Amino acid sequence: MSLLIRTQQRLLPRLIDIALTLAAWLGMAYLVLQGVQGLLQGRQNSPRLWFGIEFLQTLDTLLIYLLVGLAIGAVLLAWAKYNERRADWYQRRERMPDICERGLSANFQVSLPILDCLQNQQVLILHHHGHGALAAIEFPGTGLRLPAQAEMAISPEQEAAESSPEPQRPDRLQPLPH
Amino acid sequence: MIDRIYALLILLLVLGAPVGVALSLTGDVLLDFVFFYPLFMSALWMAGGSYFWLHWERHWPWSNSGEVAPPALAGEPLVSILIPCFNEGEHAVETIGAALAQRYSAIEVIAINDGSSDNTGAVLDQLAAREPRLRVLHLAQNQGKAVALRMGALAARSEYLVCIDGDALLDQDAATYLVAPLIDNPRVGAVTGNPRIRTRSTLVGRIQVGEFSSIIGLIKRTQRVYGRVFTVSGVIAAFRRSALDRIGYWSEDMITEDIDVSWKLQLDHWSIFYEPRALCWILMPETLRGLWKQRLRWAQGGAEVLLKNVGSIWVWRYRYMWPLLIEFSLSAIWAFTFALSMLLFAVGLLVELPPQLQVASMLPPAFTGLVLACVCLLQFSLSLLIERRYEQGLARSLFWIIWYPLAFWMLTLFTTLVSFPKVMLRRRQQRARWTSPDRGIKGVNP
């Protein structure tokens, strides 16, 4: 299996792609040349950063580009270093316990037996309410549909039989003991 | 109601700020912002990318051929790989095959068929019959990616969820690299991976190779250095289920559930890491139309998250998220400023404008053009230096990378112009559904 996909295109589109890209490189070369010419012709035509402060306009524009760029980088790096130092004394969050089945069951509004089915059946069909909450699960090939809140489950003996490729039959499902 | 007021205020701000600046100062100031904002953002990304590389990444062992083993996962926990699929009949075998081929053996793969109308269901059932580690959930009706992922999280037996798209191919160690930081760092709620583009047939496809390496990779590294990430990659990310449970999992009404879940996690003080070694090979649009649709959706998603959080984020405990929101807002203002500059330039050709509103030329001024060109080349070179170890022959894409500044900033411009008013004027409350993306061109008939 090849990871990269290079579908062969017709010659004309390929030539157009290459021509356009060459033109873009020429455009960039033009920008560079224009800049160098501007430098050679003197600074009177050169635009400047406008900060509303008169004295900045007397500074060399390229120097300002460089300084602002470096300042931005320096702020980020200083922040990163500060965070590293802070990590040494900062009270880290304790590891939270993994979400338990009861928590999942409550948050998704499904009963524990249905959650057990969801986590153990290999293939299931899920039905939803209009607002997106799980309404029911269905066992493929059986037509058996259980509401998400159903207190029904597969008994332990039948769980062992789950590995069987046959679809679950409705009569294998038992109510949970209360 | 308060949402509507915020939406109106945001729209007034992004529309009014450029106009106000032009009226109170000059059109040249607008143009300065148009040219300097990308320039200085580029400086920020290069600084962040360089720091990430020098401080962390270069010390991480890596081999493209798989000779370097990934870190051992403490306790060897089960990892659940969730794959929501909508009309993925064509790609499901490859995607699930790559997921099952992880070198880390304690995995289960859960494919969620979200009411596909093609043969996805049949393909998944056939695969499940052959592979006990694959489980399949068929959603009877199409519910959208967020609900599909929620069902996957519910059915998963693991605390660690690796989520990929139905047309993405996981690298053989990607799951391990994604889950290791979750195990080692209790504060980490999600880890985002490194998507690599497979579709390279057209100019549009090849430009994105450069874009993903040169800009998205650097942005992710910079945001990681800063400590907050604007978004995980929806196509490849791992989550801690207990963290998701605290924030109510993925939202069903957001057009880009990945941006939203990233914000929800970080607002709940979970960290998000970036793991460049977690490679995932993805299909991207190869036509302009496809690219436009995809990027418009992304821009809309960003605007939705801005609107959702702008009212509640200005409290001290969320201060670390402020720069992300400000940066996103500045990008939007930049787009509207650029549009206003173009408008003033065009109108100025037809009628005499007051001096302060005149925009003489839309070409970058002399020095700025030179600096823009040099900064672009510098950014290309830096990204190549950092990313080349993940993909052999990446330098060959350098020829096409020239388009990236234009493509990235022009796409940002036009998608923002369209998406912002769309989101702000019409708040969507309905469920976000799948749209079939462009996944590259097909071969020509002989």
Side-chain angles (χ1 to χ4, degrees), chain B residues 227-284:
Chain B
R228 295 293 182 277
V229 173
F230 185 80
T231 180
V232 298
S233 298
V235 67
I236 165 79
F239 297 92
R240 185 189 301 279
R241 187 163 61 175
S242 47
L244 288 173
D245 196 69
R246 277 175 60 95
I247 60 159
Y249 299 88
W250 295 269
S251 303
E252 295 144 15
D253 59 346
M254 304 299 283
I255 194 167
T256 49
E257 80 300 325
D258 45 0
I259 306 179
D260 179 67
V261 80
S262 309
W263 278 69
K264 288 201 306 188
L265 280 171
Q266 291 174 112
L267 289 172
D268 194 37
H269 304 290
W270 292 97
S271 293
I272 295 180
F273 277 12
Y274 171 56
E275 176 47 84
R277 291 171 295 176
L279 302 183
C280 182
W281 297 87
I282 63 171
L283 304 178
M284 290 293 276

Side-chain angles (χ1 to χ4, degrees), chain A residues 77-178:
Chain A
L77 300 191
W79 175 253
K81 283 288 167 199
Y82 162 72
N83 267 341
E84 268 175 48
R85 295 276 167 88
R86 185 169 159 267
D88 293 339
W89 53 263
Y90 189 76
Q91 184 66 43
R92 295 211 164 267
R93 176 180 266 169
E94 291 290 314
R95 185 183 160 80
M96 282 184 61
D98 295 355
I99 181 77
C100 64
E101 289 190 349
R102 278 196 188 280
L104 272 177
S105 151
N107 287 344
F108 280 94
Q109 295 182 318
V110 297
S111 65
L112 282 171
I114 295 298
L115 179 63
D116 187 61
C117 288
L118 278 163
Q119 295 193 339
N120 290 295
Q121 288 288 325
Q122 196 180 16
V123 182
L124 277 175
I125 300 170
L126 309 186
H127 297 267
H128 287 79
H129 293 295
H131 52 82
L134 183 63
I137 64 171
E138 183 182 332
F139 297 82
T142 67
L144 174 68
R145 191 189 286 199
L146 295 176
Q149 296 281 358
E151 293 299 319
M152 304 275 287
I154 302 168
S155 65
E157 298 80 25
Q158 289 152 358
E159 272 190 35
E162 266 182 39
S163 53
S164 148
E166 291 176 42
Q168 299 290 326
R169 299 304 310 169
D171 55 359
R172 287 180 176 175
L173 296 160
Q174 302 292 326
L176 275 182
H178 287 284

Side-chain angles (χ1 to χ4, degrees), chain B residues 101-215:
Chain B
Q102 294 298 293
R103 284 205 285 188
Y104 183 72
S105 57
I107 58 162
E108 63 170 356
V109 176
I110 302 176
I112 307 109
N113 169 28
D114 188 13
S116 299
S117 52
D118 69 350
N119 64 341
T120 303
V123 171
L124 293 178
D125 284 343
Q126 282 170 14
L127 288 171
R130 293 202 301 265
E131 176 53 72
R133 290 180 301 165
L134 171 66
R135 293 195 287 133
V136 179
L137 302 175
H138 296 285
L139 309 195
Q141 292 91 29
N142 177 246
Q143 299 290 334
K145 188 176 174 184
V147 174
L149 284 169
R150 288 168 72 99
M151 289 304 105
L154 178 63
R157 288 185 290 228
S158 169
E159 167 74 354
Y160 305 109
L161 312 176
V162 172
C163 304
I164 62 168
D165 279 357
D167 56 0
L169 302 184
L170 271 182
D171 187 67
Q172 61 180 355
D173 295 320
T176 316
Y177 281 119
L178 286 171
V179 170
L182 291 173
I183 295 174
D184 297 341
N185 304 277
R187 282 166 57 91
V188 174
V191 180
T192 181
N194 186 357
R196 315 294 308 179
I197 294 177
R198 298 180 67 198
T199 37
R200 302 180 182 192
S201 311
T202 69
L203 187 55
V204 172
R206 292 182 202 119
I207 290 171
Q208 292 172 92
V209 177
E211 186 204 358
F212 266 65
S213 301
S214 176
I215 197 155

Side-chain angles (χ1 to χ4, degrees), chain B residues 15 59 73 78 92 163 189 208 224 237 324 371:
Chain B
L15 283 172
H59 303 297
L73 298 185
L78 180 71
C163 304
Q208 292 172 92
R224 177 66 203 105
L324 289 187
V371 177

Side-chain angles (χ1 to χ4, degrees), chain B residues 361-391:
Chain B
S361 166
M362 283 307 292
L363 276 177
F367 277 157
T368 318
L370 172 68
V371 177
L372 267 177
C374 292
V375 168
C376 279
L377 286 174
L378 198 63
Q379 194 175 326
F380 298 160
S381 312
L382 179 69
S383 62
L384 198 66
L385 194 73
I386 293 175
E387 294 268 343
R388 65 182 172 167
R389 71 173 183 162
Y390 302 116
E391 193 182 325

Side-chain angles (χ1 to χ4, degrees), chain B residues 394-408:
Chain B
L394 189 62
R396 265 177 260 153
S397 66
L398 195 68
F399 176 66
W400 309 100
I401 213 171
I402 183 68
W403 287 108
Y404 118 83
L406 199 66
F408 178 79

